[in-house]
Amino acid sequence: MTIDIPGYKAGTWTIDPAHSEVGFSIRHLMISKVKGVFENFDATFVTAENPLDSKVSAKADVASINTKDKNRDAHLRTGDFFLAEEHPTIDFVSTGVRHEGGEFLVDGDLTIKGVTKPVTFEFDFGGFGQDPYGNYKAGATAKTKINREDFGLTYNAALETGGMLLGDEVTITLELQAVLNQA
């Protein structure tokens, strides 16, 4: 099966960090969500002639976590959560691309805190175009949900009012812009 995507080009693409974001959200106090980002990250996309044969590899620097609260960020770097000293990156390597029901799905292995689990990102192409400097770019949004406890992120605290401080489900949202490497 070959998919036709307007503007699609085969090649190696590098993430444009100035126009991309690696974000997440988690339920907090059972009443709202806390959001955060990893400020340092990298990704490479190798697009094949057939988009379904494409590959992705990415990593985020755990120490660069930013939830707009320095104390919380420092706590997230400890052994209660990411244990950043021993596991400095979160890594993703794709294992396949599927097109189902008009949607692109990117399957892969996500490694957090030394634990690797399969995940699937819903991948929404924003399109392709040339920037003012002559670079050919692609844009997309990718999203998945994981259970943080599956990756050894089990810290929590009971609330006096009932329930727990943190939810188990984490939504990971990637806003991506990549540039096609010039041959």
Side-chain angles (χ1 to χ4, degrees), residues 24-36 67 72 76 81 144-149 153 155-157 159 162-172:
F24 62 91
S25 65
I26 184 170
R27 179 99 23 221
H28 183 254
L29 295 175
M30 299 182 65
I31 59 172
S32 65
K33 291 186 179 178
V34 169
K35 293 183 177 186
T67 63
R72 177 174 48 219
L76 288 168
F81 289 97
T144 193
K145 292 181 181 179
I146 63 168
N147 183 320
R148 66 186 178 89
E149 292 187 347
L153 303 172
Y155 175 86
N156 219 337
L159 300 173
M164 300 301 284
L165 177 67
L166 299 171
D168 293 335
E169 186 176 85
V170 177
T171 300
I172 301 170

Side-chain angles (χ1 to χ4, degrees), residues 5-171:
I5 304 169
Y8 178 88
K9 292 184 181 183
T12 300
W13 303 71
T14 304
I15 198 75
D16 178 351
H19 297 103
S20 301
E21 182 177 87
V22 175
F24 62 91
S25 65
I26 184 170
R27 179 99 23 221
H28 183 254
L29 295 175
M30 299 182 65
I31 59 172
S32 65
K33 291 186 179 178
V34 169
K35 293 183 177 186
V37 297
F38 291 95
E39 293 181 337
N40 297 327
F41 53 90
D42 191 24
T44 301
F45 306 86
V46 179
T47 52
E49 291 297 325
N50 178 353
L52 300 180
D53 294 330
S54 298
K55 305 273 185 212
V56 178
S57 62
K59 67 178 178 177
D61 178 6
V62 173
S64 74
I65 196 167
N66 183 346
T67 63
K68 300 182 184 177
D69 183 307
K70 290 186 186 303
N71 290 330
R72 177 174 48 219
D73 296 344
H75 187 204
L76 288 168
R77 292 181 191 104
T78 71
D80 282 347
F81 289 97
F82 290 106
L83 191 56
E85 270 189 29
E86 290 183 31
H87 305 285
T89 61
I90 295 172
D91 300 290
F92 176 79
V93 177
S94 66
T95 57
V97 179
R98 298 179 281 141
H99 189 252
E100 295 179 2
E103 302 291 326
F104 284 95
L105 304 171
V106 178
D107 299 314
D109 292 325
L110 181 65
T111 303
I112 300 174
K113 200 176 177 182
V115 177
T116 302
K117 297 281 183 183
V119 299
T120 299
F121 280 92
E122 296 174 3
F123 202 81
D124 180 28
F125 280 110
F128 299 89
Q130 196 150 335
D131 73 10
Y133 308 102
N135 298 305
Y136 196 67
K137 293 200 165 182
T141 299
K143 187 181 269 190
T144 193
K145 292 181 181 179
I146 63 168
N147 183 320
R148 66 186 178 89
E149 292 187 347
D150 291 345
F151 293 90
L153 303 172
T154 58
Y155 175 86
N156 219 337
L159 300 173
E160 288 181 22
T161 56
M164 300 301 284
L165 177 67
L166 299 171
D168 293 335
E169 186 176 85
V170 177
T171 300

